[in-house]
């Protein structure tokens, strides 16, 4: 990986600055490469700084903890479009799952997620990042489901955790375990199957 010019400053008010973008890309790539090639234990501020050609002061300023470095390396590349709720249960669930689909299919951090799953039980930093990312990924679905239960559009006897697992499980399995693309039609089938079992 080509090293960038060493710098101790990455101003937060210059997000559009090409130097800032190069620094961030170099750090994320370094975290991913270290975790994938040398194992999770290799991810440290010192190792990332050396691998990326970035000053440690920069890393600590913008990624104060190891968890911060790992979380950024695992997040999808680029922002994901969010849709305001429509109030239609099926539409909102399909949109939430499509957002998850986009994140899984375009993220170069997907291999890192597999590393995360494999090491989270024995590494506190990975476990914290796993909890954080799962909570982020579930937030849209969980909000839609909780609102639907509160308004009587969905059976309150079925725990939201179970519904989230039924919705997201097939998507994660196909992409992360099977390594296959996620057809848009699969989203519709999954949502219809879950709503068919869970409608009041």
């Amino acid at each position: 990986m080509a090293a960038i010019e060493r710098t101790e400053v990455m101003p937060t008010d210059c997000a559009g600055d090409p130097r800032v973008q190069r620094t961030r890309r170099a750090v994320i790539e370094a975290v991913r490469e270290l975790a994938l090639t040398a194992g999770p234990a290799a991810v440290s501020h010192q190792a990332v700084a050396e691998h990326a050609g970035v000053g440690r002061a920069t890393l600590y300023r913008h990624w104060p903890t190891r968890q911060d470095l790992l979380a950024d390396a695992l997040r999808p590349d680029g922002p994901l479009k969010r849709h305001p709720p429509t109030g239609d249960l099926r539409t909102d669930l399909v949109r939430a799952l499509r957002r998850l689909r986009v994140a899984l299919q375009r993220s170069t951090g997907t291999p890192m997620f597999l590393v995360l799953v494999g090491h989270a039980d024995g590494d506190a930093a990975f476990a914290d990042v796993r909890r954080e990312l799962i909570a982020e990924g579930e937030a849209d679905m969980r909000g839609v489901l909780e609102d639907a239960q509160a308004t009587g559009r969905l059976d309150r006897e079925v725990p939201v955790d179970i519904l989230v697992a039924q919705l997201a499980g097939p998507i994660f399995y196909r992409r992360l375990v099977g390594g296959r693309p996620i057809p848009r039609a699969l989203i519709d089938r999954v949502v219809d199957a879950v709503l068919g079992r869970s409608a009041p």
Side-chain angles (χ1 to χ4, degrees):
M1 180 175 125
I4 65 171
E5 180 180 356
R6 183 174 293 275
T7 176
E8 298 297 329
V9 180
M10 193 169 76
T12 56
D13 59 348
C14 298
D17 188 323
R19 293 170 301 173
V20 173
Q21 296 302 318
R22 285 197 300 271
T23 297
R24 187 181 184 282
R25 281 196 302 270
V27 169
I28 296 307
E29 289 172 9
V31 174
R32 289 173 177 171
E33 289 180 16
L34 285 167
L36 291 171
T37 61
V43 178
S44 67
H45 282 80
Q46 180 174 344
V48 172
E50 292 173 357
H51 200 71
V54 175
R56 271 191 288 174
T58 296
L59 290 183
Y60 280 110
R61 184 177 300 115
H62 298 280
W63 295 273
T65 69
R66 182 171 175 241
Q67 288 93 323
D68 295 323
L69 287 168
L70 292 167
D72 255 11
L74 281 155
R75 285 192 174 92
D77 301 308
L80 297 176
K81 186 175 182 180
R82 299 192 93 105
H83 296 279
T86 66
D88 180 80
L89 178 57
R90 185 184 186 279
T91 297
D92 291 338
L93 288 177
V94 166
R95 284 182 172 182
L97 277 183
R98 284 180 180 170
R99 188 169 182 269
L100 176 61
R101 169 185 176 267
V102 170
L104 289 174
Q105 294 202 148
R106 82 180 187 195
S107 176
T108 55
T110 298
M112 272 282 292
F113 192 84
L114 296 176
V115 173
L116 170 72
V117 171
H119 291 85
D121 289 340
D123 187 312
F126 266 59
D128 288 344
V129 173
R130 178 175 64 179
R131 281 192 294 271
E132 176 186 341
L133 292 179
I134 289 175
E136 288 179 9
E138 290 181 353
D140 289 348
M141 277 182 287
R142 190 173 289 276
V144 170
L145 293 167
E146 289 174 349
D147 181 69
Q149 286 188 335
T151 55
R153 291 175 292 144
L154 199 60
D155 187 353
R156 293 183 181 140
E157 297 302 314
V158 182
V160 169
D161 286 344
I162 298 294
L163 296 173
V164 168
Q166 290 175 337
L167 289 163
I171 310 306
F172 276 101
Y173 183 86
R174 184 178 179 92
R175 183 61 180 156
L176 299 180
V177 178
R180 294 177 290 168
I182 305 162
R184 288 171 66 94
L186 177 63
I187 303 293
D188 297 295
R189 291 199 300 270
V190 168
V191 170
D192 288 339
V194 171
L195 291 182
R197 288 195 295 266
S198 305

